[in-house]
Amino acid sequence: MGVVNILHMNTGNGESSYAKNSFLQETVIRKAMPTFKHTIKGMANPNTIFGHCFTLVDLGCSSGTNTLLVARIIMDIVDEVCKENNRKTPQFQVCLNDLHGNDFNTIFKMLPNFHAKLKEEKGEDFGPSFVSAVPGSFYERLFPNQTLHLAHSSYGIHWLSQVPKGLENNKANIYMAKTSPPSVFEAYREQFYTDFTKFLKLRSKETVCDGCMVLTFHGRSIADPTSDDCCRFFELLAKSLLDMLEEGLVRESDINSFNLPYYTPCEDEVRDIIHSEGSFSLDTMNVFQGNWDPWDTDYTNISDFKENSHIHGKNAAQVFRAVAEPLLTSHFGNSVIDVLFKKFETHVAKHLIEKKTRYFNILISLTKI
């Protein structure tokens, strides 16, 4: 079954749902706020902001409070810019995009409160705003030509359109790993090059002249694809599966045939693809790190990690489960998931005692040429 049919966050509001385990993603979105402000204020064509309607899209919006948080942040900044220039705030067309399996119903149920809060805080004359869902892969066309003013994606671009071909030799691994042969690294790199190039080409057709994009995604801090901030997290997940193999809970053939449709590029790769594709100028590129456990805000207190490693392991595993459980269930079956993530949180906790590995995030803003 293709990635497009099975990749989505855990639905609903249960303990393992994305709605209850998306604080990591919220933190990343709020980190991008200065870039949002800089990008919107710096739009070269004033009509992009001061026109009749401002159209924005959140690509890979998922569900839960983060989805409408992005829309509200952008609307507030546009409103602020208009007030600074004594112009009327435009209407807003808010387009929420994700794959067909996304829990759009959870978002729709939040809309009455979202609109009520806007009126309460901004007044009856603000906007109005029109929110719509646009299901489909962002590796395909989603909108008519030249209709988008601002496109945003947070933690979406590192998901590939498909598992790269030619990974048959990546046995006992589920992603790029220190034991992967060179052909595996090349296959992943080529798939990302193809996908990100296509993403830029498609958005250039849909975005107005001088329109912008703000994109945040997982990356790696150095060119070496075996760096810890790139692959260590998934090596621990593979180790959990191998533990289960020894116990007869999963089959070796299932482990060998599973690889994540995911890629963490380095900064130079991102720059090269943007320059090579040619539709957008790269305005800013910033990088920042984040803990595997998003509720841990103390980045230096190693002793705290030793004392509370089981908590940090559980939190990190729960965050990833909310994102990847449907993908894993489709391949290994539902019956092994609880055991898998229990083992995973143990391995993560043990690793964090020795080394406080962190996510490496790349944040870019682009303007259509």
Side-chain angles (χ1 to χ4, degrees):
M1 187 179 292
V3 170
V4 70
N5 296 314
I6 56 177
L7 181 61
H8 62 82
M9 311 298 103
N10 271 349
T11 59
N13 291 289
E15 287 304 310
S16 296
S17 67
Y18 179 80
K20 285 198 172 180
N21 294 280
S22 55
F23 181 61
L24 170 65
Q25 290 81 356
E26 178 186 344
T27 303
V28 169
I29 289 168
R30 293 193 183 279
K31 276 273 191 182
M33 284 182 63
T35 300
F36 277 127
K37 186 167 290 192
H38 176 79
T39 299
I40 293 171
K41 289 191 173 186
M43 283 183 166
N45 183 354
N47 291 328
T48 305
I49 299 179
F50 304 136
H52 180 65
C53 182
F54 188 89
T55 301
L56 63 101
V57 59
D58 191 8
L59 299 160
C61 67
S62 192
S63 60
T65 55
N66 288 344
T67 302
L68 296 176
L69 170 65
V70 171
R72 181 58 194 267
I73 287 172
I74 294 172
M75 293 164 73
D76 283 346
I77 295 172
V78 171
D79 184 42
E80 178 184 326
V81 172
C82 289
K83 284 183 167 59
E84 289 174 354
N85 289 273
N86 297 314
R87 303 291 291 267
K88 179 176 173 55
T89 302
Q91 300 178 75
F92 292 94
Q93 176 67 50
V94 180
C95 305
L96 306 177
N97 158 256
D98 213 311
L99 298 175
H100 294 86
N102 187 55
D103 188 6
F104 286 107
N105 285 336
T106 295
I107 303 172
F108 297 153
K109 291 173 183 177
M110 298 165 58
L111 287 177
N113 184 59
F114 174 76
H115 289 301
K117 195 168 183 179
L118 267 178
K119 284 188 177 182
E120 178 185 342
E121 296 179 3
K122 298 287 190 179
E124 293 288 336
D125 294 333
F126 180 81
S129 61
F130 304 93
V131 181
S132 60
V134 184
S137 169
F138 53 53
Y139 294 121
E140 302 294 339
R141 280 294 300 266
L142 294 168
F143 302 97
N145 288 349
Q146 299 187 45
T147 53
L148 301 177
H149 297 102
L150 178 64
H152 165 260
S153 180
S154 184
Y155 274 22
I157 301 299
H158 49 238
W159 290 106
L160 301 172
S161 65
Q162 64 180 42
V163 175
K165 298 185 185 302
L167 303 182
E168 292 80 11
N169 293 327
N170 200 30
K171 297 186 185 301
N173 297 311
I174 61 172
Y175 181 55
M176 297 187 300
K178 291 177 175 62
T179 58
S180 297
S183 61
V184 169
F185 303 130
E186 183 62 20
Y188 269 104
R189 188 196 68 79
E190 288 183 359
Q191 187 63 52
F192 179 75
Y193 182 92
T194 298
D195 283 347
F196 192 40
T197 298
K198 186 174 185 180
F199 175 88
L200 294 171
K201 199 174 296 291
L202 294 172
R203 299 295 84 77
S204 72
K205 294 177 181 178
E206 299 167 347
T207 305
V208 301
C209 185
D210 297 322
C212 296
M213 290 201 293
V214 175
L215 311 174
T216 311
F217 44 92
H218 280 161
R220 63 182 190 270
S221 56
I222 57 177
D224 182 0
T226 66
S227 63
D228 275 355
D229 57 20
C230 166
C231 64
R232 187 58 180 146
F233 195 74
F234 303 112
E235 288 176 339
L236 296 174
L237 185 62
K239 190 174 183 180
S240 304
L241 285 165
L242 293 174
D243 289 346
M244 296 176 70
L245 173 63
E246 290 183 3
E247 297 172 16
L249 298 176
V250 296
R251 295 180 298 184
E252 184 176 14
S253 59
D254 285 343
I255 297 176
N256 290 338
S257 62
F258 180 78
N259 288 279
L260 288 166
Y262 180 94
Y263 186 71
T264 47
C266 66
E267 296 168 71
D268 284 345
E269 286 177 295
V270 175
R271 288 191 185 93
D272 289 347
I273 295 172
I274 293 169
H275 177 75
S276 175
E277 195 281 324
S279 296
F280 291 87
S281 63
L282 176 61
D283 300 327
T284 63
M285 176 182 284
N286 299 306
V287 299
F288 61 96
Q289 293 179 298
N291 279 5
W292 286 0
D293 174 5
W295 287 275
D296 170 56
T297 56
D298 188 345
Y299 298 152
T300 57
N301 189 355
I302 302 301
S303 62
D304 168 72
F305 250 79
K306 292 179 179 179
E307 294 171 5
N308 299 296
S309 64
H310 63 289
I311 296 174
H312 298 309
K314 182 176 182 179
N315 288 343
Q318 192 78 346
V319 168
F320 185 68
R321 179 172 182 168
V323 172
E325 182 171 350
L327 200 62
L328 290 161
T329 299
S330 71
H331 190 85
F332 295 101
N334 187 61
S335 62
V336 303
I337 294 299
D338 287 341
V339 176
L340 172 60
F341 279 97
K342 196 67 181 175
K343 291 182 179 296
F344 184 47
E345 70 179 60
T346 300
H347 283 305
V348 171
K350 288 179 180 178
H351 170 78
L352 289 174
I353 291 175
E354 302 300 324
K355 186 175 183 180
K356 202 166 182 178
T357 310
R358 303 172 70 195
Y359 292 119
F360 186 81
N361 301 297
I362 298 176
L363 168 62
I364 61 175
S365 64
L366 308 164
T367 299
K368 181 181 172 182
I369 299 173

